Amino acid sequence: MTGTGLLLRALHDATDPPLRPLPGEAAELLCRLAAPPRLAAHLRAVHDVAHQLADWLARRHPGLPFDREAALFGAATHDVGKVLHTGELTGTGSRHEEAGRELLLEHGIGPRLARFAATHGSWADKAAGSAAGIEDLLVSLADKVWKNKRVPDLEDLFVARLAAAGCRAAWEEFLELDELLTAIGEGADARLAFQASYPVR
């Protein structure tokens, strides 16, 4: 099968467990960029987890100011810079972060939505982390927990944002978040297998 065919499969095929499709604008952009199929599969997995986190926020904290559309688009495009830095699909590196933001801006995506490509890896930086919104932290969290990677510092920062918004005490927030992340983590093997079933090129 051609790379284009595999990309379309990664974006649209039914999965077990089911993964939500990417927002139309994000999927169309990946097709225009001839994105590697594995990148599309990864973005779809992270986007699905971001949906679960956003649904939890809506249920638990309906009054919390939260830009759901931005967060979900951010999850769907956070690694788009790996179109240019394909080595970072299988190895380490952060060159894709700023490159991804610039790529999105060049393709007409506004700063509100393009920012996640650059911010999803910068939450650990003290200055960036203190300025990060709940949406940015949610995308970073989804990008970790999709493969059942738990990052206490990131989770603490996310919980602190919820507590600061006047929701509940931090320990109460953490207990509920921990329960959710544990449940999401149980699907990690299937998501990892889905991603691994698509080639890098």
mmCIF file of all heavy atoms in Angstrom, residues 56-76:
data_model
loop_
_atom_site.group_PDB
_atom_site.id
_atom_site.type_symbol
_atom_site.label_atom_id
_atom_site.label_comp_id
_atom_site.label_asym_id
_atom_site.label_seq_id
_atom_site.Cartn_x
_atom_site.Cartn_y
_atom_site.Cartn_z
ATOM 1 N N TRP A 56 -13.778 14.582 31.023
ATOM 2 C CA TRP A 56 -13.698 14.526 32.487
ATOM 3 C C TRP A 56 -13.766 15.928 33.084
ATOM 4 O O TRP A 56 -14.488 16.158 34.052
ATOM 5 C CB TRP A 56 -12.392 13.829 32.880
ATOM 6 C CG TRP A 56 -12.123 13.753 34.348
ATOM 7 C CD1 TRP A 56 -12.607 12.832 35.230
ATOM 8 C CD2 TRP A 56 -11.285 14.636 35.118
ATOM 9 N NE1 TRP A 56 -12.120 13.076 36.493
ATOM 10 C CE2 TRP A 56 -11.308 14.170 36.447
ATOM 11 C CE3 TRP A 56 -10.519 15.753 34.809
ATOM 12 C CZ2 TRP A 56 -10.585 14.800 37.470
ATOM 13 C CZ3 TRP A 56 -9.803 16.380 35.816
ATOM 14 C CH2 TRP A 56 -9.844 15.908 37.124
ATOM 15 N N LEU A 57 -13.035 16.859 32.485
ATOM 16 C CA LEU A 57 -13.084 18.240 32.971
ATOM 17 C C LEU A 57 -14.495 18.804 32.888
ATOM 18 O O LEU A 57 -14.964 19.472 33.816
ATOM 19 C CB LEU A 57 -12.144 19.133 32.145
ATOM 20 C CG LEU A 57 -10.695 19.270 32.582
ATOM 21 C CD1 LEU A 57 -9.980 20.253 31.673
ATOM 22 C CD2 LEU A 57 -10.583 19.717 34.026
ATOM 23 N N ALA A 58 -15.177 18.543 31.791
ATOM 24 C CA ALA A 58 -16.537 19.066 31.614
ATOM 25 C C ALA A 58 -17.488 18.486 32.657
ATOM 26 O O ALA A 58 -18.377 19.194 33.152
ATOM 27 C CB ALA A 58 -17.035 18.753 30.203
ATOM 28 N N ARG A 59 -17.321 17.214 32.981
ATOM 29 C CA ARG A 59 -18.188 16.571 33.986
ATOM 30 C C ARG A 59 -17.866 17.052 35.391
ATOM 31 O O ARG A 59 -18.762 17.356 36.179
ATOM 32 C CB ARG A 59 -18.027 15.040 33.950
ATOM 33 C CG ARG A 59 -18.673 14.357 32.788
ATOM 34 C CD ARG A 59 -18.720 12.843 32.993
ATOM 35 N NE ARG A 59 -17.438 12.256 33.374
ATOM 36 C CZ ARG A 59 -16.514 11.843 32.512
ATOM 37 N NH1 ARG A 59 -16.709 11.975 31.208
ATOM 38 N NH2 ARG A 59 -15.393 11.292 32.944
ATOM 39 N N ARG A 60 -16.595 17.093 35.718
ATOM 40 C CA ARG A 60 -16.182 17.398 37.090
ATOM 41 C C ARG A 60 -16.168 18.889 37.397
ATOM 42 O O ARG A 60 -16.361 19.294 38.545
ATOM 43 C CB ARG A 60 -14.784 16.818 37.361
ATOM 44 C CG ARG A 60 -14.684 15.321 37.248
ATOM 45 C CD ARG A 60 -15.438 14.638 38.355
ATOM 46 N NE ARG A 60 -15.249 13.196 38.294
ATOM 47 C CZ ARG A 60 -15.833 12.345 39.123
ATOM 48 N NH1 ARG A 60 -16.636 12.797 40.047
ATOM 49 N NH2 ARG A 60 -15.624 11.058 39.024
ATOM 50 N N HIS A 61 -15.873 19.695 36.374
ATOM 51 C CA HIS A 61 -15.695 21.137 36.589
ATOM 52 C C HIS A 61 -16.408 21.928 35.488
ATOM 53 O O HIS A 61 -15.759 22.600 34.684
ATOM 54 C CB HIS A 61 -14.205 21.480 36.608
ATOM 55 C CG HIS A 61 -13.420 20.648 37.568
ATOM 56 N ND1 HIS A 61 -13.610 20.704 38.933
ATOM 57 C CD2 HIS A 61 -12.461 19.706 37.366
ATOM 58 C CE1 HIS A 61 -12.792 19.845 39.529
ATOM 59 N NE2 HIS A 61 -12.094 19.231 38.594
ATOM 60 N N PRO A 62 -17.721 21.834 35.437
ATOM 61 C CA PRO A 62 -18.454 22.477 34.329
ATOM 62 C C PRO A 62 -18.283 23.991 34.275
ATOM 63 O O PRO A 62 -18.452 24.587 33.217
ATOM 64 C CB PRO A 62 -19.910 22.076 34.586
ATOM 65 C CG PRO A 62 -19.960 21.693 36.036
ATOM 66 C CD PRO A 62 -18.614 21.138 36.370
ATOM 67 N N GLY A 63 -17.926 24.623 35.382
ATOM 68 C CA GLY A 63 -17.762 26.071 35.385
ATOM 69 C C GLY A 63 -16.350 26.547 35.092
ATOM 70 O O GLY A 63 -16.085 27.751 35.037
ATOM 71 N N LEU A 64 -15.440 25.605 34.900
ATOM 72 C CA LEU A 64 -14.036 25.970 34.673
ATOM 73 C C LEU A 64 -13.862 26.584 33.287
ATOM 74 O O LEU A 64 -14.254 25.971 32.290
ATOM 75 C CB LEU A 64 -13.161 24.715 34.789
ATOM 76 C CG LEU A 64 -11.666 24.899 34.570
ATOM 77 C CD1 LEU A 64 -11.037 25.656 35.733
ATOM 78 C CD2 LEU A 64 -10.990 23.540 34.402
ATOM 79 N N PRO A 65 -13.285 27.779 33.181
ATOM 80 C CA PRO A 65 -13.002 28.338 31.855
ATOM 81 C C PRO A 65 -11.990 27.448 31.132
ATOM 82 O O PRO A 65 -10.872 27.238 31.620
ATOM 83 C CB PRO A 65 -12.409 29.726 32.158
ATOM 84 C CG PRO A 65 -12.816 30.027 33.566
ATOM 85 C CD PRO A 65 -12.904 28.701 34.257
ATOM 86 N N PHE A 66 -12.405 26.911 30.000
ATOM 87 C CA PHE A 66 -11.577 25.935 29.304
ATOM 88 C C PHE A 66 -11.904 25.968 27.817
ATOM 89 O O PHE A 66 -13.062 25.814 27.425
ATOM 90 C CB PHE A 66 -11.845 24.533 29.875
ATOM 91 C CG PHE A 66 -11.156 23.415 29.133
ATOM 92 C CD1 PHE A 66 -9.775 23.322 29.127
ATOM 93 C CD2 PHE A 66 -11.896 22.464 28.440
ATOM 94 C CE1 PHE A 66 -9.140 22.288 28.448
ATOM 95 C CE2 PHE A 66 -11.273 21.438 27.763
ATOM 96 C CZ PHE A 66 -9.888 21.349 27.769
ATOM 97 N N ASP A 67 -10.891 26.187 26.993
ATOM 98 C CA ASP A 67 -11.065 26.253 25.541
ATOM 99 C C ASP A 67 -10.913 24.843 24.973
ATOM 100 O O ASP A 67 -9.835 24.433 24.554
ATOM 101 C CB ASP A 67 -10.035 27.205 24.937
ATOM 102 C CG ASP A 67 -10.321 27.523 23.472
ATOM 103 O OD1 ASP A 67 -11.057 26.752 22.820
ATOM 104 O OD2 ASP A 67 -9.775 28.535 22.983
ATOM 105 N N ARG A 68 -12.022 24.118 24.974
ATOM 106 C CA ARG A 68 -12.018 22.719 24.550
ATOM 107 C C ARG A 68 -11.549 22.563 23.101
ATOM 108 O O ARG A 68 -10.725 21.702 22.793
ATOM 109 C CB ARG A 68 -13.424 22.144 24.724
ATOM 110 C CG ARG A 68 -13.562 20.681 24.332
ATOM 111 C CD ARG A 68 -15.025 20.232 24.418
ATOM 112 N NE ARG A 68 -15.144 18.841 24.046
ATOM 113 C CZ ARG A 68 -15.152 17.823 24.902
ATOM 114 N NH1 ARG A 68 -15.060 18.061 26.200
ATOM 115 N NH2 ARG A 68 -15.255 16.585 24.472
ATOM 116 N N GLU A 69 -12.071 23.403 22.222
ATOM 117 C CA GLU A 69 -11.710 23.315 20.804
ATOM 118 C C GLU A 69 -10.206 23.470 20.613
ATOM 119 O O GLU A 69 -9.575 22.712 19.872
ATOM 120 C CB GLU A 69 -12.448 24.390 20.004
ATOM 121 C CG GLU A 69 -12.050 24.429 18.547
ATOM 122 C CD GLU A 69 -12.397 25.732 17.855
ATOM 123 O OE1 GLU A 69 -12.870 26.670 18.514
ATOM 124 O OE2 GLU A 69 -12.171 25.805 16.639
ATOM 125 N N ALA A 70 -9.626 24.441 21.303
ATOM 126 C CA ALA A 70 -8.185 24.679 21.165
ATOM 127 C C ALA A 70 -7.389 23.487 21.680
ATOM 128 O O ALA A 70 -6.440 23.038 21.035
ATOM 129 C CB ALA A 70 -7.783 25.945 21.913
ATOM 130 N N ALA A 71 -7.763 22.962 22.837
ATOM 131 C CA ALA A 71 -7.025 21.843 23.411
ATOM 132 C C ALA A 71 -7.084 20.615 22.511
ATOM 133 O O ALA A 71 -6.065 19.936 22.309
ATOM 134 C CB ALA A 71 -7.567 21.511 24.802
ATOM 135 N N LEU A 72 -8.254 20.324 21.962
ATOM 136 C CA LEU A 72 -8.384 19.136 21.112
ATOM 137 C C LEU A 72 -7.627 19.312 19.799
ATOM 138 O O LEU A 72 -6.992 18.374 19.305
ATOM 139 C CB LEU A 72 -9.857 18.816 20.870
ATOM 140 C CG LEU A 72 -10.622 18.375 22.123
ATOM 141 C CD1 LEU A 72 -12.081 18.098 21.795
ATOM 142 C CD2 LEU A 72 -9.979 17.162 22.784
ATOM 143 N N PHE A 73 -7.685 20.518 19.226
ATOM 144 C CA PHE A 73 -6.896 20.763 18.016
ATOM 145 C C PHE A 73 -5.406 20.681 18.342
ATOM 146 O O PHE A 73 -4.614 20.139 17.565
ATOM 147 C CB PHE A 73 -7.239 22.122 17.417
ATOM 148 C CG PHE A 73 -6.606 22.348 16.076
ATOM 149 C CD1 PHE A 73 -7.241 21.926 14.915
ATOM 150 C CD2 PHE A 73 -5.369 22.964 15.965
ATOM 151 C CE1 PHE A 73 -6.651 22.103 13.673
ATOM 152 C CE2 PHE A 73 -4.770 23.155 14.733
ATOM 153 C CZ PHE A 73 -5.414 22.728 13.575
ATOM 154 N N GLY A 74 -5.028 21.204 19.500
ATOM 155 C CA GLY A 74 -3.629 21.139 19.915
ATOM 156 C C GLY A 74 -3.142 19.709 20.059
ATOM 157 O O GLY A 74 -2.033 19.374 19.621
ATOM 158 N N ALA A 75 -3.967 18.857 20.642
ATOM 159 C CA ALA A 75 -3.593 17.450 20.777
ATOM 160 C C ALA A 75 -3.464 16.785 19.405
ATOM 161 O O ALA A 75 -2.599 15.936 19.192
ATOM 162 C CB ALA A 75 -4.619 16.714 21.630
ATOM 163 N N ALA A 76 -4.332 17.189 18.477
ATOM 164 C CA ALA A 76 -4.346 16.593 17.136
ATOM 165 C C ALA A 76 -3.178 17.040 16.272
ATOM 166 O O ALA A 76 -2.900 16.414 15.241
ATOM 167 C CB ALA A 76 -5.657 16.939 16.441
#
